[in-house]
Amino acid sequence: MQLRPNQRLKLDDKDDKLFYAYPRFVTHVDQGFIQQLTDLYSDHLKPNTRIFDMMSSWVSHLPKEMQFEYVEGHGLNAEELARNPRLNHYFVQNLNENPQLPLPDENFDAVLNCVSVQYMQYPEAIFSEIYRILKPGGVAIISFSNRMFFEKAIQAWREASEAQRVELIKAYFASVSGFTTPEVIAHKSTLSNLLQWLGAAGGDPFYAVIAYRS
């Protein structure tokens, strides 16, 4: 799978570091989405393991009752990452400029990405890095809803339906030899488009695509 050059384009093509220069201490999805994600983490993560929270912010949505050996964070705003109490360490890096992660091979039991996959301009390279840093048997969990910074999402994502976005992430995994066949969890919103747009409670659809390093 290889995105065409036009599919990688953003409406706002200025440096991403400028867009994320100031912190946003908000959650970008509703409480229903967050609870479903935390429950999913409870089911798929194990205590006392090593976690990489990619494209993170001031909250990771990890289960409060579950303790980990080490949680590495990554993002584009240092102030947000510094506020995140679950991170043992973090670094700032624009993956659209440099997708190579400064992390050792086979060093993490899980890689998490919450509502940020739509901003990756070179997902093939980034998913290759996810595979590299995962231990054999390690899990990658990519979650998303229908919210986004529209001007910063790539064209392939903006123009796709929710079902097509699931297929897009499955294709990202398939672009790297060695991932298992992805598992998909999809809970569509039962609210009308208008109520979703108005931000009504329970309106955010929940999607997760999960694969393991075989």
Side-chain angles (χ1 to χ4, degrees), residues 104-124:
D105 295 353
E106 300 183 9
N107 195 44
F108 292 93
D109 299 282
V111 174
L112 314 177
N113 185 289
C114 174
V115 298
S116 297
V117 66
Q118 59 265 32
Y119 308 122
M120 295 179 182
Q121 289 181 285
Y122 303 96
E124 308 95 331

Side-chain angles (χ1 to χ4, degrees), residues 4 43 91 93 98 113 122 129 147 156 170 178 183 201 211:
R4 299 187 301 275
D43 291 340
F91 64 96
Q93 180 175 323
N98 176 16
N113 185 289
Y122 303 96
E129 283 291 280
R147 300 197 194 192
K170 288 169 64 177
E183 170 194 358

